[in-house]
């Protein structure tokens, strides 16, 4: 078993995550400020027409752009397949059938014969509805996970797991914003897959923490329990994640263009999910439990100082055992006469010594 102090270095892990989150959010803000948008939304979210063409011979991207500009489509986004220079993807505003035929005819006339691999038309209303449905699907998934973990474990585990999932989603969004990778409908499926995978890994860690809490010994802190639990399962988590990561990388490298963005989101999410389940979720839970424990101890301690007049603090009188009615309890050497305290112990002791 490993003996790594994960919780003791929580500030380091949190700093790394915070830096990545800040970079991702900054990328989105810069995209919005420059007019490109926070994310490079695909046609599924923006609406428009997408043409996927394959020419008989490799084509020059500049010539394709000139033809598209000649049709009055200056805002069109044109991409060439890096592995096959004959394949060109043109994404533009919604085109009527006549405008689309005119564009295809101009491309054939200037660049030669081609085959239309794919034509998609998405209207703006459908795109907006798709965005709302995507956000709603992710929120429902997070709320469902929170309720399940709160019921199955405890609410602290649920909140910590959901915060870790937010961390994973922001990391993936930030990476796509930074590298301007197209965000389409498969991206939503990838995010939901990441949420499910990450919470599964987090549940493994939390389940071990819960088991070790039952065996918690006197003097053992919550950080000790969490460290012990993470060290017991970290090897299993990393091995499981590596098997998934290698499978996703195979899809990313050899799966073709249609599944490339989906696999890229999954690859980033697998790494982020494994990281957050070990380095983010458990420290949040430890911090929460220790904070509650400190508050409970402070409430249980007797009040030694109490506020006096003028806002200054003065020591509170020590509590004395007393019998019913305010009289000293039996066994105490202090006497009360006529409602006034008798002489102190020292004076009484001196009188006794004089009598002798």
């Amino acid at each position: 078993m490993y003996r790594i102090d994960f919780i003791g270095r929580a500030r380091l892990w949190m700093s790394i995550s915070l830096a990545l989150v800040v970079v991702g959010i900054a990328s989105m803000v810069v995209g919005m400020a420059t007019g490109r948008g926070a994310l490079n939304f695909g046609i599924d979210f923006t609406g428009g027409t997408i043409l996927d063409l394959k020419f008989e011979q490799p084509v020059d991207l500049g010539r394709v752009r000139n033809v598209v500009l000649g049709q009055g489509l200056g805002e069109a986004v044109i991409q060439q397949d890096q592995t096959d220079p004959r394949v060109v993807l043109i994404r533009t505003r919604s085109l009527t059938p006549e405008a689309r035929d005119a564009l295809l005819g101009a491309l054939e006339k200037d660049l030669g014969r081609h085959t239309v691999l794919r034509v998609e038309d998405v209207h703006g209303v459908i795109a907006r509805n798709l965005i709302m449905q995507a956000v709603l699907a992710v929120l429902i998934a997070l709320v469902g996970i929170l309720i399940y973990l709160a019921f199955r474990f405890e609410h602290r585990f649920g909140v910590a797991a959901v915060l870790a999932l937010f961390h994973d989603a922001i990391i993936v969004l930030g990476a796509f914003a930074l590298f301007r990778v197209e965000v389409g409908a498969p991206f939503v499926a990838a995010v939901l897959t990441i949420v499910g995978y990450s919470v599964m890994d987090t549940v493994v860690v939390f389940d071990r923490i819960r088991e070790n809490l039952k065996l918690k010994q006197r003097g053992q802190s919550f950080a000790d329990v969490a460290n012990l639990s993470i060290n017991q399962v970290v090897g299993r988590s990393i091995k499981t994640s590596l098997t998934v990561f290698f499978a996703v990388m195979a899809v990313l490298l050899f799966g073709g263009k249609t599944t490339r963005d989906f696999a890229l989101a999954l690859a980033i999410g697998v790494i982020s999910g494994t990281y957050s389940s070990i380095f983010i979720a458990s420290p949040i839970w430890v911090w929460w439990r220790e904070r509650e424990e400190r508050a409970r101890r402070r409430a249980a301690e007797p009040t030694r100082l109490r506020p006096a007049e003028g806002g200054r603090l003065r020591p509170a009188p020590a509590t004395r055992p007393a019998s019913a009615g305010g009289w000293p309890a039996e066994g105490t050497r202090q006497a009360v006469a006529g409602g006034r305290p008798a002489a102190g112990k020292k004076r009484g002791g001196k009188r006794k010594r004089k009598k002798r």
Side-chain angles (χ1 to χ4, degrees):
M1 187 181 69
Y2 302 96
R3 295 185 181 278
I4 304 173
D5 185 10
F6 293 99
I7 305 302
R9 298 184 176 89
R11 291 181 183 273
L12 174 63
W13 317 134
M14 294 291 181
S15 299
I16 294 174
S17 293
L18 182 62
L20 294 175
V21 169
V22 168
V23 170
I25 294 177
S27 301
M28 297 182 204
V29 173
V30 170
M32 295 174 64
T34 56
R36 298 182 300 168
L39 294 169
N40 181 22
F41 286 111
I43 191 172
D44 297 327
F45 293 106
T46 60
T49 300
I50 186 169
L51 299 172
D52 197 357
L53 309 176
K54 184 176 183 179
F55 292 86
E56 292 181 347
Q57 300 295 330
V59 295
D60 180 66
L61 200 60
R63 293 180 61 187
V64 177
R65 190 175 302 280
N66 290 334
V67 174
V68 174
L69 287 174
Q71 297 296 315
L73 303 173
E75 78 286 354
V77 177
I78 305 171
Q79 295 174 315
Q80 191 170 31
D81 195 329
Q82 299 297 323
T83 59
D84 189 353
R86 297 176 299 172
V87 178
V88 175
L89 185 73
I90 302 173
R91 183 158 53 92
T92 181
R93 65 173 185 267
S94 295
L95 299 177
T96 61
E98 294 77 12
R100 188 176 61 199
D101 292 340
L103 175 61
L104 294 175
L107 288 170
E108 183 172 353
K109 181 180 179 182
D110 194 78
L111 301 171
R113 296 177 61 85
H114 60 263
T115 303
V116 179
L117 301 178
R118 178 168 55 120
V119 177
E120 291 184 11
D121 284 304
V122 179
H123 297 288
V125 176
I126 298 176
R128 286 193 294 272
N129 292 336
L130 190 59
I131 291 176
M132 296 301 298
Q133 291 174 0
V135 173
L136 186 62
V138 174
L139 290 179
I140 289 175
L142 292 176
V143 172
I145 290 170
L146 175 62
I147 294 174
Y148 172 74
L149 291 181
F151 175 76
R152 186 67 178 83
F153 294 90
E154 61 177 47
H155 65 284
R156 304 179 195 86
F157 283 127
V159 174
V162 169
L163 289 176
L165 294 179
F166 268 116
H167 163 273
D168 300 337
I170 293 176
I171 292 293
V172 176
L173 284 172
F176 271 58
L178 181 63
F179 298 106
R180 305 304 298 175
V181 182
E182 183 176 307
V183 176
F187 180 81
V188 180
V191 170
L192 291 174
T193 306
I194 292 167
V195 167
Y197 177 80
S198 178
V199 75
M200 180 191 69
D201 215 20
T202 305
V203 164
V204 171
V205 178
F206 282 170
D207 190 55
R208 184 55 58 95
I209 291 177
R210 186 181 59 170
E211 292 178 359
N212 288 330
L213 272 178
K214 299 175 183 176
L215 307 175
K216 183 173 178 290
Q217 299 177 358
R218 189 179 182 84
Q220 197 175 22
S221 66
F222 291 109
D224 296 334
V225 175
N227 264 329
L228 174 65
S229 306
I230 297 173
N231 278 288
Q232 288 175 343
V233 301
V234 65
R236 171 188 168 187
S237 296
I238 292 177
K239 292 170 186 173
T240 305
S241 300
L242 281 178
T243 57
V244 177
F245 180 76
F246 289 142
V248 172
M249 287 301 294
V251 177
L252 176 63
L253 296 176
F254 308 108
K257 187 173 58 178
T258 55
T259 58
R260 187 175 302 161
D261 296 343
F262 176 78
L264 177 62
L266 278 185
I268 299 172
V270 168
I271 297 173
S272 176
T274 306
Y275 177 85
S276 66
S277 64
I278 297 173
F279 300 104
I280 301 298
S282 300
I284 291 175
W285 177 83
V286 170
W287 173 80
W288 195 342
R289 287 301 302 259
E290 290 185 343
R291 186 172 181 271
E292 288 184 346
E293 185 67 14
R294 286 194 297 269
R296 188 186 64 80
R297 287 178 179 175
R298 281 197 299 268
E301 288 179 352
T303 305
R304 296 299 181 190
L305 297 176
R306 66 180 184 182
E309 293 182 1
R312 300 179 60 183
L313 299 178
R314 66 178 185 182
T319 55
R320 297 170 178 166
S323 61
W327 289 96
E330 185 179 357
T332 58
R333 302 179 65 180
Q334 183 179 9
V336 176
R340 299 175 59 185
K345 298 177 181 178
K346 292 183 178 179
R347 295 181 60 185
K350 289 180 180 179
R351 283 199 297 269
K352 289 181 179 178
R353 282 196 296 271
K354 287 180 180 179
K355 290 178 181 180
R356 291 173 186 171

